[in-house]
Amino acid sequence: QVELYESGGALVQAGESLRLSCVFAPRTVTRYAMAWFRQVPEKEREFVASIDWTGGVEYYGESVKGRFTISRDNSINTLYLQMDSLKPDDTAVYYCSTDPEKRVSEARWGEYTYWGRGTQVTVSS
């Protein structure tokens, strides 16, 4: 059974940085592509970033390109999302996700099987 646990969400000011973490289990997830999505109430879940199992290939949503960086450390079963130059529009619940069958380029949230419970990020102006 795949388990994902996000942490690191907080209330920050616009322009500040924040790093989210997602600890995963079991070790087989180290061979899966992984992704971050975010969601605000009454809107569809939005693709933020994804990374292949080696950590060598990354994709980003247009709204976060150049500001966010996805990475992973498979030695400690952890996925990261470094968020810089945060804006109020980045306010959302952030989720990590994975699926053994999906390519790293998959940006449709409905295609992912496994999800964490999310962590709240709030950016004040």
Side-chain angles (χ1 to χ4, degrees):
Q1 179 70 17
V2 173
E3 297 180 342
L4 306 169
Y5 299 98
E6 304 96 337
S7 63
L11 170 62
V12 297
Q13 300 278 343
E16 293 184 342
S17 297
L18 201 59
R19 189 175 80 161
L20 306 183
S21 300
C22 173
V23 176
F24 55 82
R27 286 287 296 166
T28 49
V29 178
T30 60
R31 293 287 184 167
Y32 303 168
M34 300 189 73
W36 287 98
F37 287 79
R38 65 187 183 185
Q39 190 169 24
V40 297
E42 301 182 354
K43 286 194 175 181
E44 191 163 299
R45 205 160 283 194
E46 177 191 7
F47 173 76
V48 175
S50 60
I51 189 167
D52 77 332
W53 74 273
T54 70
V57 180
E58 303 162 20
Y59 287 85
Y60 294 93
E62 285 299 319
S63 61
V64 306
K65 272 183 185 176
R67 300 188 298 120
F68 289 12
T69 304
I70 190 172
S71 62
R72 65 192 296 167
D73 186 344
N74 285 337
S75 69
I76 56 172
N77 289 17
T78 304
L79 175 73
Y80 300 104
L81 184 67
Q82 177 66 40
M83 305 185 293
D84 298 322
S85 303
L86 282 161
K87 305 175 181 179
D89 284 349
D90 294 319
T91 296
V93 177
Y94 284 72
Y95 299 90
C96 69
S97 64
T98 190
D99 190 289
E101 305 294 332
K102 295 298 176 286
R103 296 181 180 181
V104 62
S105 55
E106 181 59 68
R108 295 170 293 179
W109 69 267
E111 294 295 315
Y112 285 82
T113 301
Y114 301 106
W115 294 87
R117 293 192 173 188
T119 186
Q120 175 71 47
V121 173
T122 303
V123 185
S124 64
S125 56

